[in-house]
Amino acid sequence: KRTVEDTWRHIGHLVETIEPGECKNYFANAGYASIKT
């Protein structure tokens, strides 16, 4: 991407492809999981 706006737009599209469970697993494995599960 050649502009900041295009880059952010592309990132936004990429974020939409992440499933909630995948996101949850990432944060849990990174050590950011809440103790109140």
Side-chain angles (χ1 to χ4, degrees):
K1 305 301 175 186
R2 298 193 182 257
T3 67
V4 173
E5 293 82 12
D6 285 343
T7 301
W8 281 115
R9 192 173 296 114
H10 185 69
I11 291 170
H13 291 299
L14 292 175
V15 169
E16 291 174 348
T17 67
I18 300 171
E19 297 292 327
E22 183 179 3
C23 187
K24 176 184 173 187
N25 289 339
Y26 173 81
F27 283 106
N29 288 322
Y32 294 111
S34 172
I35 296 172
K36 301 178 187 178
T37 57

